[in-house]
């Protein structure tokens, strides 16, 4: 039995190859340039594996809202600095069993810059 490649299959392969290359380029830019100043990095782990092969950028306000709404789950927060000395907060959220269907374990990790534009610090 021989397998022939149809034009639609070739088109799909080209589309996905281009899409995967775009994702790799995005990840390389993110590593080289860092996130936007008013964005946090978000990593999601599902059953111990990465949901995406690279971090997502989310607005800092969105990340802070996600942390506030996750208080019923296990939340750890660590204040630290990045390589350049800028203050950041690393937040680890482990969701309670049964929060998500068809998976055993979901973890979100946020790296939130503390000196982002619009961030208010307590006096």
């Amino acid at each position: 039995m021989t397998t022939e490649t149809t034009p639609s299959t070739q088109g799909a392969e080209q589309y996905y190859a281009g899409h995967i290359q775009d994702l790799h380029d995005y990840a390389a830019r993110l590593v080289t340039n860092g996130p936007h100043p008013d964005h946090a990095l978000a990593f999601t782990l599902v059953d111990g594996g990465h949901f995406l092969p690279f971090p997502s950028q989310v607005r800092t306000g969105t990340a802070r809202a996600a942390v506030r709404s996750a208080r019923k789950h296990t939340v750890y927060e660590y204040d630290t600095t990045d390589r350049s000395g800028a203050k950041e907060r690393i937040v680890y959220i482990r969701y309670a069993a049964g929060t998500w269907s068809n998976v055993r374990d979901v973890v979100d990790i946020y790296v939130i810059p503390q000196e982002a534009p619009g961030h208010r610090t307590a006096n």
Side-chain angles (χ1 to χ4, degrees), residues 11-30:
E13 288 173 356
Q14 289 174 349
Y15 168 80
Y16 286 115
H19 183 64
I20 289 170
Q21 185 59 48
D22 289 343
L23 291 175
H24 284 288
D25 292 347
Y26 165 77
R29 282 193 310 276
L30 189 59

Side-chain angles (χ1 to χ4, degrees), residues 16-120:
Y16 286 115
H19 183 64
I20 289 170
Q21 185 59 48
D22 289 343
L23 291 175
H24 284 288
D25 292 347
Y26 165 77
R29 282 193 310 276
L30 189 59
V31 168
T32 303
N33 302 330
H36 185 275
D38 193 29
H39 283 72
L41 295 178
F43 302 84
T44 299
L45 304 173
V46 178
D47 289 335
H50 291 281
F51 184 69
L52 293 173
F54 51 85
S56 300
Q57 290 190 65
V58 296
R59 293 199 173 273
T60 54
T62 303
R64 289 186 186 105
V67 171
R68 282 192 304 272
S69 68
R71 294 295 173 202
K72 63 183 175 182
H73 305 286
T74 304
V75 178
Y76 297 101
E77 297 185 38
Y78 305 95
D79 290 323
T80 186
T81 58
D82 67 8
R83 293 178 192 154
S84 67
K87 294 179 182 178
E88 64 185 12
R89 175 168 288 168
I90 299 176
V91 181
Y92 172 96
I93 302 169
R94 171 163 264 143
Y95 292 95
T99 302
W100 302 102
S101 60
N102 300 323
V103 295
R104 292 183 308 253
D105 188 38
V106 177
V107 174
D108 279 341
I109 300 170
Y110 293 97
V111 180
I112 305 171
Q114 296 301 296
E115 298 169 352
H119 176 67
R120 296 185 190 121

